[in-house]
Amino acid sequence: MCGIVGYIGKKNSKCLLMEGLKRLEYRGYDSSGIAMLNDGHIICCKAVGKISNLESKLQNADFDSNIGIAHTRWATHGEPNEVNAHPHTDSKNQVAVVHNGIIENYAELKKDLQKKGCVFKSATDSEVLAHLIAMFIDEGCGLEEAVRRTMEQIEGTYGMAVICVKYPNKMVAARNGSPLIVGLGDDEFIVASDASAVVEHTRQIIYLNDHELITLNSQDYIIKTIQDIHVHKSVDNIDWDLGKIEKAGYPHFMLKEIFEQPESIHNAMRGRFDDEECTAHLGGLQKVKDRLRKTKRIIISACGTSWHSALIGEYLFEDLAQIPTEVEYASEFRYRNPIIYEDDTVLLITQSGETADTLAALREAKRKGALTLAICNVVGSTIARESDAGVYLHAGPEIGVASTKAFTSQLTVLSLAALMLGRMHNMSPVQGERIITALRNLPFQIEQIFKADKIIKEIAERFTYAQNFLYLGRGYNFPAALEGALKLKEISYIHAEGYPAAEMKHGPIALINESMPVVFIATQDAIYDKVISNIEEVKARKGYVIAIATEGDEKISQKADKVIYIPDTLPFLVPILSVIPLQLLAYYIAILKGCNVDQPRNLAKSVTVE
Ligand code: AGP
C-alpha cells in the first residue's frame, strides 16, 4: 500500500505535496519522491527511508511549480532504494508517474517495451506505466488517451497520477483496485490515495471508481471510463477528521487491520495459484526450488506471533509434504549451537524483517551452510535481503503493535508453500485442487465471521476485568490458542495462557474455578470428541467455557456457555478463521479497559534489540 498525491492549480505546490506525503506516510514509508513540471522539464527528487529524508534533500532545491506529483512507497516489487522510488519516468524523461498497486503482467509488458527500445532504470512493476504512456504519446495520442490506452494493457491494480512535458497544464489520474480521490479547490485540484492528504485544503471531493480516469487542468476536469465514456460524478463532503481518515474510519489501526484480513489474505494468494498443476507458484522460491525439493528437514525459527505461525507451519509441512520439520524460538536457536546440515532448510518467519533474534538465527543457519528462506512482510528488510530466497506477504503496512493481518497472511503463505512442496512429493492433483478451492474461499469466510461481532462484544463486556484466561486447542488449533492468549495479554494486560487442550489435566486444571474463563477452539475435526471431553472437565469444575465452533454444530451449544461459530474449512486452514474472533475478543476487552490498543505499554512493533 503506497501513498500518492498530485496537485494542479495556481499555487506553487512543493510544500503542499510534501505535507500531503507526510499525511500519507502511514501507508508506506520505505522511500519517497516528487516530480514537478518546470520550464518545459520534469524535475524529480527521490530519497530512501522516511519522508523527512526527501525534505532534507529538497531544502536547497530552488525549483517549484504549480503542477506536481509525489509518492511515499511500500515496496512490493524491487528493493526500497532511490532508483526504485517513485515517481518513475520514461526513457526521454517526458512523462512522470506515481503508482499505488501491483501490475501483475508487468514482466511481459516490460519485455515488449524493451524490445521497442525502452531503457528501464528500476526493478519496479510501476515503471512500465511511464514507458507505455510515453509510447502512446509518441504514436500521436493526447495525454488522456495515452493513459486510457495504458489502462487497457494493464492486469492488476493501480491508483496513478501522470504529468507530461508536452501537456504542461494537464494532469491525468486513474484507478483500478487502489483508492484514489480528487479534492476540488478554488481553481486547484488535489489527487490523493485518501482524504488525509486533502482534508486541510478542501472537504469537497470526488471518489473515482475502478476503470475511471480524470483529466485535470487548473480550472476544470473531465472524467471518463476505460471505454472512453463520459462520467458525471457527485461531489461529496468529507466530515471526517484527519485521525479517522488515516485509519479509514476505524478508531484504531489494529481494528482496521483485523477488518483488512479478507483483502490481505487475497493479496497473499494473488497470482500464486497454478490451477493446471493444482499447486502454488511462489516466485521468490523459484531459484531454490531444486534445493527445496531435496531438503531432508525444515527448521522454522521466529519470535512471538511469528513463532505461532511457525508451529502451524510445522504441522503443515509434515502433514501435506511429509518433510520432517522442527520449530525453534529464534532467541534460543541463536545461542544453543544447533546441529544443522547442508541439506537442511531454515525458514525464518518475520513480519518486520528486522527482529534481532530472528536475524541472528538466520546468520547462524547461514554460517552452518543451510538453505535459508524468509517469509516476510517488509520488502527489502534486512532478513529479506540476507536470506537465500523468500516470499513476501503483500499484507501492506501493519501499524498496530499487536500482529493480526500479518499472522493470517503468514499462515496463508505457509499453506501455499506446503501445497507447493506437497505437490513436489506425494500429494495428488485432486488434493491440491481441494486445497486451492478452500484457500480461495477464505476471504469470503472471514467476512462471515465479522457478523459474530455482537456476541464477541458481549463476552468482552462480561470478562473485561477477568484476572486470568485459559486458551485451549488441539492439533492445528493449539498454536491458534497460543496466539489468542498472546493477543489478549499484550493489549489488555490480562494474564492469559495457551495450552494443548489435553495438557490441562497435567496442571492447569488446578486453576479452574467459576472466575476462570476458558476459551476452547473446538471446531469439528478428527479430535473434536476429545475436546468436548476437555470442555466437560472444565464445566465439572465450574469454569466458564467460550467455544469457537464450526457453523452448524449444535452439540457444542449444550456444553459451552458461549459459542462463536466460524465457517467450516480444511483442518489446517481453521487457524486462519478461528483467530479472527480471538483478535476481536482481545481488542474489545482492551478497549473496555481503556488500554492503548495500537501502542501497548512496554512493547515495540519491531524488536530490533536483544
Ligand atoms: C505480536 O503481536 C507481537 N507484536 C510480537 O510478538 C511479534 O510477533 C514479534 O516481536 C515478532 O515480530 P516479527 O514478526 O516482526 O519478527
Side-chain angles (χ1 to χ4, degrees), residues 384-397:
R385 277 182 291 108
E386 293 194 12
S387 49
D388 295 320
V391 186
Y392 286 120
L393 300 182
H394 295 322

Side-chain angles (χ1 to χ4, degrees), residues 303-306 350-352 355 358 401-403 410 486-487 490 607:
C303 302
T305 284
S306 300
T350 169
Q351 188 284 132
S352 62
T355 300
T358 310
V401 165
S403 187
Q410 287 168 349
L486 175 60
K487 287 290 96 54
E490 70 174 325
V607 182

Side-chain angles (χ1 to χ4, degrees), residues 443-508:
F444 169 75
Q445 291 182 312
I446 291 175
E447 296 286 2
Q448 302 308 306
I449 296 172
F450 291 148
K451 295 173 184 165
D453 213 32
K454 185 169 173 292
I455 189 170
I456 296 168
K457 281 179 181 167
E458 287 167 7
I459 297 168
E461 279 153 18
R462 179 182 177 123
F463 292 107
T464 304
Y465 297 102
Q467 297 298 304
N468 299 285
F469 263 80
L470 261 185
Y471 287 73
L472 303 174
R474 285 177 180 250
Y476 285 99
N477 290 329
F478 160 49
L482 292 175
E483 176 59 12
L486 175 60
K487 287 290 96 54
L488 184 70
K489 69 183 118 179
E490 70 174 325
I491 63 173
S492 73
Y493 317 140
I494 293 174
H495 175 248
E497 281 190 82
Y499 265 94
E503 270 299 297
M504 205 181 37
K505 54 186 174 294
H506 300 287

Side-chain angles (χ1 to χ4, degrees), residues 491-553:
I491 63 173
S492 73
Y493 317 140
I494 293 174
H495 175 248
E497 281 190 82
Y499 265 94
E503 270 299 297
M504 205 181 37
K505 54 186 174 294
H506 300 287
I509 198 162
L511 296 171
I512 305 296
N513 60 28
E514 57 278 359
S515 65
M516 169 68 90
V518 182
V519 178
F520 275 93
I521 305 175
T523 47
Q524 283 179 319
D525 54 22
I527 43 181
Y528 170 78
D529 290 338
K530 304 288 183 198
V531 178
I532 291 292
S533 306
N534 297 141
I535 290 176
E536 285 164 342
E537 287 159 12
V538 170
K539 290 304 298 171
R541 291 155 182 85
K542 299 187 176 38
Y544 187 95
V545 172
I546 300 155
I548 311 292
T550 307
E551 267 166 12
D553 176 3

Side-chain angles (χ1 to χ4, degrees), residues 40-60:
H41 300 284
I42 285 176
I43 301 178
C44 223
C45 182
K46 305 180 185 182
V48 179
K50 292 275 184 190
I51 290 167
S52 53
N53 297 347
L54 179 62
E55 263 185 327
S56 310
K57 286 185 86 169
L58 285 169
Q59 247 163 8
N60 308 321

Side-chain angles (χ1 to χ4, degrees), residues 374-385:
I375 292 178
C376 183
N377 192 35
V378 180
V379 175
S381 55
T382 307
I383 291 169
R385 277 182 291 108

